[in-house]
Every structure is written in C-alpha cells, then in structure tokens.
Amino acid sequence: MAEQMKAYRQASKKGTQLERYATLDALSKVELDLYRMKEAGTVVRGEIGHDAQVTALDMTAKTPKATVSDCVDLSRYEAYDVKARKTIPLPTAQPKRYQATGTLERWKGRWMVTHIDTTRGGAC
C-alpha cells in the first residue's frame, strides 16, 4: 500500500517498487488508476488509513496463500487537480470507510498481492 500511495501521489509508478509486491492482475488495476489520474491531471494527497487483518492463511499449499481484510479509511485522503490547484471532493456516495479484500501468495520468500477487491465490502 505504501508503494501504491507513492505512485498515486505523482500519478506515475516511476520510482516505485510496485512490481516487487504486486502480480500482473493487481498491478494492472493500479496502472489503470494511474492512467486515469494522469489523463485527468490529478494526484492524491493525504493518507489512506488501513486496519488490515489476515482472515485466511494456508501455509501448507504448494504456493502459500493468504486473504487480508482491510478497513480502508479515506477521512484524510483527497484527490487534487494539479492544473486548477484545488482539491476535488470525493463523490457524495463514496463512503469514508469501507471494507476491501486482498489475496496474496508467497513467491520466492515474499508476499505478493495477486488480487484486490474493493467492490464487495460494505462499511466498516
């Protein structure tokens, strides 16, 4: 998440280590966000809060897997229009706190994010 925020602050993955922590599926979602941000001339300011907990863990599988549930907190997050030099309010329907789920696999001694789902979680 730290590398993702680093990329969102500049609307680019340049200078980040996203590939070190995210597989193609998860990385492509971040890259799509970055493309849209660059096209719109926006970056992210502030912080996204997290309260992540491992909800499933299988260390006996050939490729160990984990599921992480995260309560995402947007109360200190803001989108910023670089050209207009102003904050863009979040959509009114956007909850300030919501549940997200991540799927991870252990590859070569480190955990890799394989999938992120922010669409099915409710409020937390």
Side-chain angles (χ1 to χ4, degrees), residues 29-80:
K29 290 181 181 185
V30 173
E31 288 175 333
L32 180 58
D33 285 347
L34 294 171
Y35 172 79
R36 289 177 177 156
M37 291 171 69
K38 192 166 191 116
E39 288 291 307
T42 60
V43 295
V44 167
R45 292 174 143 189
E47 297 292 330
I48 295 179
H50 297 280
D51 184 11
Q53 297 180 0
V54 176
T55 54
L57 181 64
D58 183 359
M59 294 297 289
T60 62
K62 183 177 180 181
T63 302
K65 297 180 187 325
T67 302
V68 174
S69 291
D70 186 11
C71 181
V72 178
D73 182 353
L74 299 178
S75 62
R76 294 180 26 215
Y77 166 95
E78 63 184 23
Y80 184 77

Side-chain angles (χ1 to χ4, degrees), residues 15 20 23 25 42 59 74 77 87 105 112:
R20 180 172 167 80
T23 63
D25 181 49
T42 60
M59 294 297 289
L74 299 178
Y77 166 95
T87 300
E105 293 181 353
M112 298 286 290

Side-chain angles (χ1 to χ4, degrees), residues 101-118:
T101 303
T103 306
L104 295 85
E105 293 181 353
R106 191 141 174 95
W107 293 9
K108 298 180 183 177
R110 71 174 174 262
W111 289 101
M112 298 286 290
V113 178
T114 59
H115 183 74
I116 300 170
D117 186 354
T118 60

